[in-house]
Amino acid sequence: MACETGRVTAPSNDAGRNWAGNITFRAARRHRPSTVDELRTVMADAEHIRAIGTAHSFNRIADSTGDLVSVAGLRPSIAIDAKAATVTVGGAVRYGDLASHLYAAGYALHNLGSLPHISIAGAVATGTHGSGDRNGNLATAVRALRMVTADGDLVTLRRGEAGFDGAVVALGLLGVVVDVTLAIEPAFEVRQFVFERLPWSRLVESFDEILRDAYSTSLFTSWSGPVVDQVWRKKRTDEPAPPGGDWFGAVPATGPLHPIRSMPADNCTAQLGAPGPWHERLPHFRLEFTPSAGDELQSEFLVPREHAVAALTAVDGIRDRIAPVLQISELRSVAADELWLSPSYRRETIGIHFTWIPDTAAVLPVVAAVEEVLAPFAPRPHWGKIFTTPLDAVAARYERWDDFQRLAATYDPGGKLRSQYDAWQSG
Ligand SMILES: Cc1cc2nc3c(=O)[nH]c(=O)nc-3n(C[C@H](O)[C@H](O)[C@H](O)COP(=O)(O)OP(=O)(O)OC[C@H]3O[C@@H](n4cnc5c(N)ncnc54)[C@H](O)[C@@H]3O)c2cc1C
């Protein structure tokens, strides 16, 4: 039996630009229906339409020259089903808001991205991930979703049903997600230990050991020398705490840090091993502050785990091109999954992420250079960040791409949601 545990406000981006400010949405009309029936009418009436979440993507994946629709006006309830160990939540609710409700009720999600500000439907649609060798991306927690399809039909898909594995990381191409049912588990606590100056040679030698040491590990590097700048080790309190002293040659930080060393640590989650709720340690950034640098572009390429060291060495080989346009890079691990368009589909994955300076013209040639050196490793670009590889080349890296196209054609036979989606990547 589902129990109503609370309502939250569900913010959406109505500003006409994405969070980073590099995309001005071209939509002729914007809709914010307040009931599912209204949403069904909006969908049935539209010629070309896309859904928008909190607009934290860095490319045109959420753009449309026709209509844009947000589900932030729908009643954003959160219903926990303790017996099924699930929560059903409105698609526009932010992870940070859901997490506070879950924690208060004694529950947790398995993982979070680096920021809690993003909407659940938007994050799931792009395969947003955190880190951890045993942690699938956030979409792997989805057990069911309810969506309004192109013709205005309300459809529910549950895990195990035909097409479900194609419908979760769906890039907004199958329909507009009204609510999502996610797996939950008992709440847990996490301690965050930051280490500095991990020698690159030790990383390369002991890559797997370093990554699997904690529940979630993030490495931050500026590719500027023989060391990785910072390692953020997020350990559950049921894992042993690291003994004091150096670790693989890295030294424990003596105060809280921001991944970009020159920035204040106030907007980051608590460090120095202080135990705290899962949702106040797994993201790097606190909900009430601007995440990351705030003035930036981002790209990320997800490569098979077995090629991690070779791929990192290849990127390091062009560090002189990267350094002038980079703020910081982050390396994370993601467990393999079964979701057709997930960048971790059937492969243990390492994400090589770049936070760039906010200068598209200067950044794009460097993104292309990174893609060129990573090409031998068949990188899958993060769907919501900047890339330049043509979509048909990206599609070739997904075994179930054609199955996904067939699924999209059943829910959206006229291509209402698919217009212009093939040229979104570089913004
Ligand atoms: C500072 C910052 C840090 C980030 N950190 C991470 C990170 O740690 N890990 C990571 O993987 N990514 C990260 N990202 C990327 C981000 O998680 C993705 O871009 C995510 O998709 C953003 O969610 P959103 O709600 O803003 O979606 P939007 O950008 O609004 O939309 C993204 C996609 O979702 C679709 N969509 C939105 N709502 C719906 C709906 N109701 N139904 C159907 N489709 C919908 C849109 O059509 C579009 O295709 C970060 C981004 C920023 C700005």
Side-chain angles (χ1 to χ4, degrees), residues 194-203 210 219-222 224-232 246-254 257 261:
V194 175
F195 281 67
E196 294 190 83
R197 299 189 295 283
L198 171 72
W200 188 261
S201 56
R202 300 294 296 274
L203 174 67
I210 288 170
L219 297 108
F220 291 97
T221 178
S222 45
S224 58
V227 293
V228 168
D229 308 25
Q230 296 177 23
V231 187
W232 289 38
D246 292 9
W247 177 73
F248 290 98
V251 294
T254 51
L257 292 177
R261 224 183 185 296

Side-chain angles (χ1 to χ4, degrees), residues 19-20 25 50-59 61-63 69-71 91-92 112-115 117-130 147 170-173 175-178 284-285 291-294 296 298 300 330 332 353 382-385:
W19 175 87
F25 294 113
R50 298 284 290 153
I52 185 149
T54 48
H56 277 67
S57 296
F58 292 86
N59 56 35
I61 190 170
D63 194 16
V69 62
S70 160
V71 294
L112 290 169
S114 69
L115 79 174
H117 307 67
I118 45 179
S119 82
I120 289 158
V124 162
T126 61
T128 290
H129 62 92
M147 63 183 179
L171 321 181
L173 295 174
V176 176
V177 172
V178 173
H284 308 323
F285 304 107
S292 197
E296 66 197 62
Q298 294 187 7
E300 187 170 23
E330 181 178 7
R332 288 178 283 186
H353 162 92
H382 190 303
W383 292 115
K385 301 182 183 179

Side-chain angles (χ1 to χ4, degrees), residues 147-390:
M147 63 183 179
V148 174
T149 61
D151 292 337
D153 295 332
L154 183 61
V155 172
T156 301
L157 273 170
R158 294 179 191 82
R159 193 160 78 139
E161 291 176 357
F164 175 84
D165 286 344
V168 182
V169 179
L171 321 181
L173 295 174
L174 299 192
V176 176
V177 172
V178 173
D179 50 41
V180 181
T181 301
L182 301 171
I184 53 174
E185 59 187 271
F188 56 90
E189 302 232 317
V190 175
R191 290 182 286 213
Q192 187 159 239
F193 301 90
V194 175
F195 281 67
E196 294 190 83
R197 299 189 295 283
L198 171 72
W200 188 261
S201 56
R202 300 294 296 274
L203 174 67
V204 166
E205 250 167 47
S206 309
F207 188 83
D208 286 331
E209 245 176 296
I210 288 170
L211 265 291
R212 74 165 165 254
D213 167 75
Y215 186 72
S216 165
T217 301
S218 286
L219 297 108
F220 291 97
T221 178
S222 45
W223 308 98
S224 58
V227 293
V228 168
D229 308 25
Q230 296 177 23
V231 187
W232 289 38
R233 303 163 69 195
K234 297 169 192 270
K235 286 189 166 258
R236 290 172 64 132
T237 49
D238 52 17
E239 294 179 283
D246 292 9
W247 177 73
F248 290 98
V251 294
T254 51
L257 292 177
H258 189 288
I260 302 171
R261 224 183 185 296
S262 57
M263 296 199 66
D266 315 12
N267 61 357
C268 296
T269 48
Q271 303 160 34
L272 299 170
W278 59 279
H279 63 294
E280 293 178 5
R281 297 293 181 277
L282 291 175
H284 308 323
F285 304 107
R286 292 163 60 183
L287 184 60
E288 61 277 27
F289 285 90
T290 299
S292 197
D295 216 0
E296 66 197 62
L297 300 173
Q298 294 187 7
S299 303
E300 187 170 23
F301 300 97
L302 295 111
V303 298
R305 171 75 177 239
E306 69 264 30
H307 300 315
V309 169
L312 294 177
T313 306
V315 174
D316 194 46
I318 57 164
R319 64 158 86 151
D320 291 349
R321 292 206 58 194
I322 293 172
V325 290
L326 185 77
Q327 304 201 54
I328 197 70
S329 263
E330 181 178 7
L331 314 175
R332 288 178 283 186
S333 59
V334 192
D337 62 55
E338 288 294 320
L339 304 173
W340 300 351
L341 293 197
S342 161
S344 307
Y345 176 72
R346 295 210 170 160
R347 63 191 205 188
E348 302 297 330
T349 293
I350 294 296
I352 308 176
H353 162 92
F354 302 84
T355 298
W356 307 110
I357 61 168
D359 180 343
T360 305
V363 163
L364 282 183
V366 184
V367 172
V370 170
E371 289 170 303
E372 196 182 324
V373 296
L374 287 179
F377 312 109
R380 293 172 177 162
H382 190 303
W383 292 115
K385 301 182 183 179
I386 289 176
F387 57 101
T388 72
T389 307

